[in-house]
């Protein structure tokens, strides 16, 4: 692989020198404020540095909708270039050291070569993702009417085999989890028998479950609708939870924030899955209407904070079977995907740090004394605390950029990639 342009650490350090003075001033000031609240800022910065989230390989190419996709300059043309861009994100924000791959979009010729290449970029692999929501070249049977729940056993078998292939590739890449999201469902009343179809899902997942190594997990991802527009087999957390309990301890429920009806109380679903020991993790994004896959924290930052409030509460209280996998799952239709993914990782880190600012004893006292307004005020105090100096200091100390967007743009990375990666028509980020 010939050398390609990359943003190096000395360029980042040089750019950071311009910002260091104001960062130290703001950090000092916030430190004094927090000390008055009995909080040691250095503890918060340590927590910020401990926060990691995986980047979706399918997120570094420009996304689109069923109407159109407007590719940007320097689109990654394959999994190796996708990893280059993922490495650039991690180099600047120092919080995204793993990548979640999607098969067959990212099917590597040689998994161990890909693993070495990723390691040379400081990257590892998070959960694998299967794809039985599209028909792929050379595929014998179509998934038009379903995959793991298709009435035809041969189609279900084909889909099970594909999932097993994903697990085999993942084992070679060092992944420890496999995410199963299927679009199976119906567009019309009567099209599917709801109970028979769910039984087929569990039967198929049992096959996949058997293929899991002992230290692996399978993540069941529910979604209210789309691509099916009347009924979806795994449509909500309750159905996902039931299936996970039927399968066994290695099966857990993954929460994609965009997969719920508007105004659903997602932080409460998170608390339930934590209490039941079945929280797999997250596909973080944001949405206004449907599964919009917008940047995390861009539409409902308070909801994101409330979700992390449940996660940090579980972390601090030592909840059982609590080991959530944090992943982004977004589609970047009008922004530079690298900029969106960097700032989305920062928004998650911000919510995590703010959740660590919650006065847990004060909140519990307010709850036990039915003091609703003090309970809300306790959460709002944390949510309205500007922790930007903490997460910037965490990045800077880890060798990242104090201002990742400014450094990325100053580097000219996108322009350099446009030269290195002449646009080839009809490439797609995977979704459209
Ligand atoms: C389905 C989904 C799923 C992925 C796909 C790219 O909407 O969230 O997680 O497989 O997006
Ligand atoms: Mn998802």
């Amino acid at each position: 692989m010939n050398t390609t342009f990359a943003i190096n650490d000395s360029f980042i350090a040089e750019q950071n020198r311009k910002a260091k003075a104001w960062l130290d001033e703001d950090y000092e000031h916030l430190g004094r404020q927090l000390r008055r609240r009995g909080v040691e800022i250095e503890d918060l910065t340590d927590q910020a540095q401990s926060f990691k989230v995986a980047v979706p390989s399918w997120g570094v190419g420009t996304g689109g909708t069923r109407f159109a996709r407007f590719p940007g300059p320097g689109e990654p043309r394959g999994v190796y270039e996708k990893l280059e861009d993922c490495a650039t994100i991690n180099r600047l924000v120092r919080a995204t050291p793993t990548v979640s791959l999607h098969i067959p979009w990212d099917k590597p010729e040689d998994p161990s070569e890909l693993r070495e290449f990723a390691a040379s970029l400081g990257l590892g692999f998070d959960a694998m993702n299967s794809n039985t929501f599209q028909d792929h070249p050379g595929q014998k049977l179509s998934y038009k009417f379903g995959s793991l729940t298709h009435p035809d056993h041969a189609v279900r078998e084909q889909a099970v085999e594909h999932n097993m292939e994903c697990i085999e590739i993942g084992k070679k890449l060092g992944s420890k989890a496999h995410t199963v999201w299927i679009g199976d469902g119906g567009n019309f009343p009567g099209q599917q028998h709801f109970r028979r179809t769910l039984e087929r899902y569990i039967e198929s997942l049992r096959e996949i479950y058997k293929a899991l190594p002992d230290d692996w997990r399978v993540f069941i991802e529910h979604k209210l609708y789309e691509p099916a527009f009347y009924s979806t087999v795994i449509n909500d957390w309750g159905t996902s939870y039931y299936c996970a309990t039927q399968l066994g301890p290695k099966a857990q429920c993954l929460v994609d924030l965009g997969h719920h009806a508007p105004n659903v109380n997602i932080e409460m679903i998170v608390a339930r899955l934590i209490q039941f020991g079945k929280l797999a993790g997250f596909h973080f994004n944001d949405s206004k209407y449907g599964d919009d896959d917008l940047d995390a924290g861009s539409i409902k930052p308070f909801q994101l904070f409330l979700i992390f409030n449940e996660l940090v509460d579980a972390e601090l209280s030592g909840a059982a079977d609590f080991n959530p996998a944090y992943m982004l799952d977004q589609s970047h239709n009008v922004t530079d995907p690298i900029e969106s993914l960097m700032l989305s990782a920062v928004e998650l880190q911000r919510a995590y740090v703010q959740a660590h600012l919650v006065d847990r004893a004060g909140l519990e006292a307010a709850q036990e004394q039915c003091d609703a307004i003090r309970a809300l005020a306790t959460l709002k105090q944390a949510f309205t605390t500007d922790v930007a100096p903490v997460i910037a200091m965490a990045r800077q100390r880890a060798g990242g950029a104090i201002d990742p967007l400014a450094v990325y743009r100053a580097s000219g990375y996108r322009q350099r990639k446009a030269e290195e990666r002449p646009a080839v028509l009809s490439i797609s980020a995977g979704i459209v």
Side-chain angles (χ1 to χ4, degrees), residues 58 129 179 181 221 254-256 259 283 285 291 293 329:
W58 60 95
N129 295 270
T179 300
W181 170 73
E221 183 177 1
L254 184 130
V255 178
D256 183 312
H259 288 187
H283 278 179
N285 48 55
D291 186 21
D293 281 338
D329 178 3

Side-chain angles (χ1 to χ4, degrees), residues 77-124:
R77 299 165 296 177
V79 66
Y80 284 84
E81 291 178 348
K82 289 179 183 178
L83 292 182
E84 275 181 15
D85 292 354
C86 293
T88 298
I89 294 165
N90 190 44
R91 189 157 298 133
L92 291 166
V93 297
R94 305 287 163 150
T96 59
T98 55
V99 179
S100 190
L101 292 187
H102 222 298
I103 306 295
W105 296 336
D106 305 315
K107 186 173 178 181
E109 303 287 316
D110 176 343
S112 43
E113 184 198 79
L114 184 71
R115 184 173 185 170
E116 269 163 49
F117 178 72
S120 73
L121 295 173
L123 296 174

